[in-house]
Amino acid sequence: MELVYSILCILGSSVYLAYLFWKKNKDSNFWDKSMQIKGLLGGIGLFLMGIIMLYRYFFN
C-alpha cells in the first residue's frame, strides 16, 4: 500500500506544480506572490515525501 501512496503523492504533486507554473500571473501583488511561493514549497515538499516513501519501499 505504501507504493500506491508514494506514486499518488508524486503524481499529484507533479500535476499541482505544473498547474502552478501554467497559471503563473506576472503582474500580481505581493500577497499573490507570497501565496504562489507557499504553494510551490508545499508541492515540492509533497513531491519529496513521495520520493522518500518510494525509496523506503524499495530499499528497506
Side-chain angles (χ1 to χ4, degrees):
M1 200 65 175
E2 190 174 329
L3 179 65
V4 174
Y5 288 141
S6 64
I7 291 173
L8 284 176
C9 208
I10 292 170
L11 290 176
S13 63
S14 298
V15 169
Y16 178 69
L17 288 171
Y19 172 76
L20 282 180
F21 283 122
W22 177 68
K23 184 106 171 124
K24 188 183 273 190
N25 191 1
K26 298 290 184 202
D27 51 330
S28 58
N29 59 16
F30 176 74
W31 179 257
D32 291 340
K33 288 181 183 177
S34 65
M35 289 296 110
Q36 179 95 15
I37 291 171
K38 185 178 176 182
L40 285 174
L41 290 176
I44 291 170
L46 195 62
F47 185 79
L48 289 176
M49 188 171 28
I51 294 292
I52 290 169
M53 286 182 355
L54 194 63
Y55 177 80
R56 289 186 63 196
Y57 178 78
F58 284 115
F59 297 112
N60 242 357

